[in-house]
Each structure stands twice: as C-alpha cells, then as structure tokens.
Amino acid sequence: KMQEEMKDRELEMEAGGGMIKLSINGDRKITSLKIDPEVVDPDDVTMLEDLIIVAINLAIDKIAEVEQDELGKITGGMKIPGMF
C-alpha cells in the first residue's frame, strides 16, 4: 500500500539557487524540468549540465528519504532488509 501511495507523491527540487527546478514522482520519474534562461550560456554548457545533474540527484535522494520516513512510520523505525 505504501508503495502505491509513494507513486502518487510528487516532490519539487531546486539547484543553483532556483536556476534549475524539477519535479519527481515516487516512481523516480522526472515529471517537470524548468531552466532559468539566464543560466543558459552557450559558452558554458558544462555548468548547465552540472546543475541539472545536481537537481536530479537531489530529487532522487529526497524521494529515498521520504520512502524511509514513511517506512519508519510503519515499522516503528526498524530497518527491514530489501525494503527500498
């Protein structure tokens, strides 16, 4: 049941002080990506790539954290091997 509820969850993350914003759902699928036009510099594509990677990694980490919090509510804080 918890896994079904997590699929419906959507979190928003930011990187670069809000220059990159993305939404991710509980299935770890990116559902939205917004890039501030000011961060788009044809002479520095590497910075944009790095910001996107940071935003995605933050989002994935946050989903995992939420899953662990939800699992902790169910198990009373016990860690169950193989769960998330």
Side-chain angles (χ1 to χ4, degrees):
K1 181 181 176 185
M2 185 190 89
Q3 287 176 329
E4 287 300 315
E5 290 175 6
M6 282 301 300
K7 287 181 182 182
D8 294 333
R9 273 245 165 104
E10 186 136 344
L11 299 174
E12 293 182 5
M13 302 303 298
E14 294 183 357
M19 295 174 137
I20 304 291
K21 297 179 183 180
L22 66 81
S23 296
I24 188 170
N25 66 23
D27 273 341
R28 291 179 170 82
K29 304 288 186 211
I30 304 297
T31 58
S32 169
L33 175 65
K34 305 285 184 202
I35 301 173
D36 185 328
E38 290 186 24
V39 77
V40 180
D41 180 356
D43 296 325
D44 193 4
V45 174
T46 302
M47 182 185 72
L48 178 58
E49 293 168 341
D50 289 345
L51 288 173
I52 292 170
I53 290 169
V54 167
I56 290 170
N57 287 333
L58 286 171
I60 291 169
D61 290 346
K62 186 63 176 179
I63 284 290
E65 181 182 314
V66 169
E67 286 174 343
Q68 286 300 318
D69 289 346
E70 292 298 317
L71 185 60
K73 291 176 188 175
I74 294 169
T75 64
M78 283 188 343
K79 302 285 183 197
I80 300 175
M83 294 294 291
F84 302 111

Short mmCIF file of all heavy atoms in Angstrom, two decimals, residues 37-68:
data_model
loop_
_atom_site.label_atom_id
_atom_site.label_comp_id
_atom_site.label_asym_id
_atom_site.label_seq_id
_atom_site.Cartn_x
_atom_site.Cartn_y
_atom_site.Cartn_z
N PRO A 37 16.32 30.94 -18.06
CA PRO A 37 17.06 31.32 -19.28
C PRO A 37 18.41 31.97 -19.00
O PRO A 37 19.32 31.88 -19.82
CB PRO A 37 16.12 32.29 -19.99
CG PRO A 37 14.76 31.96 -19.47
CD PRO A 37 14.97 31.48 -18.06
N GLU A 38 18.55 32.62 -17.84
CA GLU A 38 19.81 33.28 -17.53
C GLU A 38 20.96 32.30 -17.33
O GLU A 38 22.13 32.67 -17.45
CB GLU A 38 19.65 34.16 -16.29
CG GLU A 38 18.77 35.38 -16.55
CD GLU A 38 18.73 36.31 -15.36
OE1 GLU A 38 19.68 36.30 -14.54
OE2 GLU A 38 17.75 37.05 -15.25
N VAL A 39 20.64 31.04 -17.01
CA VAL A 39 21.69 30.06 -16.78
C VAL A 39 22.15 29.40 -18.09
O VAL A 39 23.17 28.73 -18.13
CB VAL A 39 21.24 28.99 -15.76
CG1 VAL A 39 20.29 27.98 -16.38
CG2 VAL A 39 22.42 28.27 -15.14
N VAL A 40 21.43 29.67 -19.16
CA VAL A 40 21.78 29.09 -20.46
C VAL A 40 22.85 29.97 -21.13
O VAL A 40 22.56 31.04 -21.64
CB VAL A 40 20.53 28.95 -21.37
CG1 VAL A 40 20.92 28.37 -22.71
CG2 VAL A 40 19.46 28.12 -20.69
N ASP A 41 24.06 29.47 -21.08
CA ASP A 41 25.20 30.18 -21.66
C ASP A 41 25.87 29.24 -22.66
O ASP A 41 26.48 28.24 -22.26
CB ASP A 41 26.19 30.58 -20.56
CG ASP A 41 27.41 31.31 -21.08
OD1 ASP A 41 27.55 31.46 -22.32
OD2 ASP A 41 28.23 31.73 -20.25
N PRO A 42 25.75 29.53 -23.94
CA PRO A 42 26.33 28.62 -24.95
C PRO A 42 27.83 28.40 -24.76
O PRO A 42 28.37 27.40 -25.21
CB PRO A 42 26.06 29.31 -26.28
CG PRO A 42 25.12 30.42 -26.01
CD PRO A 42 25.13 30.69 -24.54
N ASP A 43 28.48 29.33 -24.07
CA ASP A 43 29.92 29.19 -23.85
C ASP A 43 30.25 28.39 -22.59
O ASP A 43 31.42 28.15 -22.30
CB ASP A 43 30.57 30.58 -23.77
CG ASP A 43 30.46 31.33 -25.08
OD1 ASP A 43 30.52 30.68 -26.14
OD2 ASP A 43 30.30 32.57 -25.04
N ASP A 44 29.20 28.03 -21.81
CA ASP A 44 29.43 27.28 -20.57
C ASP A 44 28.33 26.23 -20.37
O ASP A 44 27.62 26.23 -19.38
CB ASP A 44 29.48 28.23 -19.37
CG ASP A 44 30.03 27.55 -18.12
OD1 ASP A 44 30.45 26.38 -18.21
OD2 ASP A 44 30.03 28.20 -17.05
N VAL A 45 28.23 25.34 -21.33
CA VAL A 45 27.22 24.27 -21.27
C VAL A 45 27.50 23.34 -20.08
O VAL A 45 26.58 22.81 -19.47
CB VAL A 45 27.20 23.50 -22.60
CG1 VAL A 45 26.28 22.29 -22.52
CG2 VAL A 45 26.78 24.42 -23.73
N THR A 46 28.76 23.19 -19.74
CA THR A 46 29.15 22.30 -18.64
C THR A 46 28.47 22.72 -17.34
O THR A 46 28.01 21.86 -16.58
CB THR A 46 30.67 22.29 -18.47
OG1 THR A 46 31.26 21.86 -19.70
CG2 THR A 46 31.09 21.34 -17.37
N MET A 47 28.39 24.02 -17.06
CA MET A 47 27.74 24.47 -15.84
C MET A 47 26.27 24.07 -15.83
O MET A 47 25.75 23.58 -14.82
CB MET A 47 27.84 25.98 -15.67
CG MET A 47 27.21 26.45 -14.35
SD MET A 47 27.17 28.24 -14.14
CE MET A 47 25.92 28.70 -15.31
N LEU A 48 25.58 24.23 -16.95
CA LEU A 48 24.17 23.86 -17.04
C LEU A 48 24.01 22.35 -16.83
O LEU A 48 23.13 21.91 -16.08
CB LEU A 48 23.61 24.27 -18.40
CG LEU A 48 22.15 23.91 -18.67
CD1 LEU A 48 21.23 24.49 -17.62
CD2 LEU A 48 21.75 24.38 -20.05
N GLU A 49 24.86 21.57 -17.45
CA GLU A 49 24.81 20.12 -17.27
C GLU A 49 25.01 19.74 -15.81
O GLU A 49 24.29 18.89 -15.27
CB GLU A 49 25.87 19.44 -18.14
CG GLU A 49 25.62 19.56 -19.62
CD GLU A 49 26.80 19.15 -20.48
OE1 GLU A 49 27.95 19.10 -19.97
OE2 GLU A 49 26.56 18.89 -21.67
N ASP A 50 25.97 20.39 -15.16
CA ASP A 50 26.25 20.10 -13.75
C ASP A 50 25.05 20.45 -12.87
O ASP A 50 24.70 19.69 -11.96
CB ASP A 50 27.48 20.86 -13.27
CG ASP A 50 28.78 20.33 -13.85
OD1 ASP A 50 28.78 19.21 -14.41
OD2 ASP A 50 29.80 21.05 -13.77
N LEU A 51 24.40 21.58 -13.14
CA LEU A 51 23.24 21.98 -12.36
C LEU A 51 22.08 21.00 -12.52
O LEU A 51 21.38 20.68 -11.56
CB LEU A 51 22.78 23.39 -12.74
CG LEU A 51 23.67 24.54 -12.27
CD1 LEU A 51 23.18 25.86 -12.87
CD2 LEU A 51 23.70 24.62 -10.75
N ILE A 52 21.89 20.52 -13.72
CA ILE A 52 20.82 19.54 -13.97
C ILE A 52 21.12 18.24 -13.22
O ILE A 52 20.24 17.66 -12.58
CB ILE A 52 20.64 19.29 -15.48
CG1 ILE A 52 20.07 20.55 -16.14
CG2 ILE A 52 19.72 18.10 -15.72
CD1 ILE A 52 20.07 20.53 -17.65
N ILE A 53 22.36 17.80 -13.26
CA ILE A 53 22.75 16.58 -12.55
C ILE A 53 22.53 16.75 -11.05
O ILE A 53 21.99 15.85 -10.38
CB ILE A 53 24.21 16.19 -12.86
CG1 ILE A 53 24.29 15.70 -14.31
CG2 ILE A 53 24.74 15.14 -11.89
CD1 ILE A 53 25.71 15.54 -14.82
N VAL A 54 22.92 17.89 -10.51
CA VAL A 54 22.73 18.15 -9.08
C VAL A 54 21.24 18.09 -8.74
O VAL A 54 20.84 17.46 -7.75
CB VAL A 54 23.33 19.52 -8.68
CG1 VAL A 54 22.85 19.95 -7.30
CG2 VAL A 54 24.84 19.46 -8.72
N ALA A 55 20.40 18.74 -9.53
CA ALA A 55 18.96 18.76 -9.26
C ALA A 55 18.37 17.35 -9.30
O ALA A 55 17.58 16.97 -8.43
CB ALA A 55 18.25 19.66 -10.26
N ILE A 56 18.77 16.56 -10.27
CA ILE A 56 18.26 15.19 -10.38
C ILE A 56 18.71 14.35 -9.19
O ILE A 56 17.91 13.63 -8.57
CB ILE A 56 18.70 14.54 -11.71
CG1 ILE A 56 17.96 15.22 -12.87
CG2 ILE A 56 18.44 13.03 -11.69
CD1 ILE A 56 18.48 14.85 -14.24
N ASN A 57 19.98 14.45 -8.83
CA ASN A 57 20.48 13.68 -7.69
C ASN A 57 19.81 14.09 -6.39
O ASN A 57 19.49 13.24 -5.55
CB ASN A 57 22.00 13.77 -7.60
CG ASN A 57 22.68 12.97 -8.68
OD1 ASN A 57 22.14 11.99 -9.17
ND2 ASN A 57 23.88 13.39 -9.06
N LEU A 58 19.59 15.38 -6.20
CA LEU A 58 18.88 15.85 -5.01
C LEU A 58 17.47 15.27 -4.96
O LEU A 58 16.98 14.85 -3.91
CB LEU A 58 18.81 17.38 -4.98
CG LEU A 58 20.09 18.13 -4.64
CD1 LEU A 58 19.90 19.62 -4.87
CD2 LEU A 58 20.49 17.85 -3.19
N ALA A 59 16.81 15.25 -6.10
CA ALA A 59 15.44 14.74 -6.17
C ALA A 59 15.40 13.25 -5.85
O ALA A 59 14.53 12.80 -5.08
CB ALA A 59 14.85 15.01 -7.55
N ILE A 60 16.32 12.49 -6.41
CA ILE A 60 16.36 11.05 -6.14
C ILE A 60 16.64 10.80 -4.66
O ILE A 60 16.00 9.95 -4.02
CB ILE A 60 17.41 10.37 -7.03
CG1 ILE A 60 16.94 10.38 -8.49
CG2 ILE A 60 17.68 8.93 -6.56
CD1 ILE A 60 18.00 9.97 -9.49
N ASP A 61 17.57 11.54 -4.09
CA ASP A 61 17.88 11.40 -2.66
C ASP A 61 16.68 11.75 -1.80
O ASP A 61 16.40 11.09 -0.79
CB ASP A 61 19.07 12.27 -2.27
CG ASP A 61 20.39 11.77 -2.86
OD1 ASP A 61 20.43 10.62 -3.35
OD2 ASP A 61 21.37 12.54 -2.82
N LYS A 62 15.95 12.79 -2.18
CA LYS A 62 14.79 13.22 -1.40
C LYS A 62 13.69 12.16 -1.44
O LYS A 62 13.06 11.88 -0.42
CB LYS A 62 14.27 14.56 -1.91
CG LYS A 62 13.18 15.14 -1.07
CD LYS A 62 13.66 15.45 0.33
CE LYS A 62 12.58 16.13 1.15
NZ LYS A 62 13.03 16.41 2.51
N ILE A 63 13.44 11.57 -2.60
CA ILE A 63 12.43 10.51 -2.70
C ILE A 63 12.82 9.34 -1.79
O ILE A 63 11.99 8.79 -1.07
CB ILE A 63 12.26 10.03 -4.16
CG1 ILE A 63 11.46 11.05 -4.96
CG2 ILE A 63 11.59 8.66 -4.23
CD1 ILE A 63 10.01 11.17 -4.60
N ALA A 64 14.09 8.96 -1.80
CA ALA A 64 14.55 7.87 -0.94
C ALA A 64 14.36 8.22 0.53
O ALA A 64 13.95 7.37 1.34
CB ALA A 64 16.02 7.56 -1.23
N GLU A 65 14.62 9.47 0.89
CA GLU A 65 14.44 9.92 2.26
C GLU A 65 12.97 9.85 2.67
O GLU A 65 12.64 9.38 3.77
CB GLU A 65 14.95 11.36 2.39
CG GLU A 65 14.85 11.95 3.77
CD GLU A 65 15.34 13.40 3.77
OE1 GLU A 65 16.41 13.68 3.20
OE2 GLU A 65 14.63 14.24 4.36
N VAL A 66 12.09 10.29 1.80
CA VAL A 66 10.65 10.24 2.09
C VAL A 66 10.19 8.79 2.24
O VAL A 66 9.42 8.46 3.14
CB VAL A 66 9.84 10.97 0.99
CG1 VAL A 66 8.35 10.71 1.13
CG2 VAL A 66 10.11 12.48 1.05
N GLU A 67 10.69 7.90 1.36
CA GLU A 67 10.35 6.48 1.47
C GLU A 67 10.77 5.92 2.82
O GLU A 67 10.01 5.19 3.46
CB GLU A 67 11.01 5.69 0.35
CG GLU A 67 10.38 5.89 -0.99
CD GLU A 67 11.15 5.20 -2.12
OE1 GLU A 67 12.33 4.83 -1.93
OE2 GLU A 67 10.55 5.04 -3.19
N GLN A 68 11.99 6.24 3.25
CA GLN A 68 12.49 5.75 4.53
C GLN A 68 11.65 6.30 5.69
O GLN A 68 11.35 5.58 6.64
CB GLN A 68 13.96 6.11 4.72
CG GLN A 68 14.89 5.28 3.88
CD GLN A 68 14.81 3.80 4.18
OE1 GLN A 68 14.74 3.37 5.32
NE2 GLN A 68 14.82 3.00 3.13
#
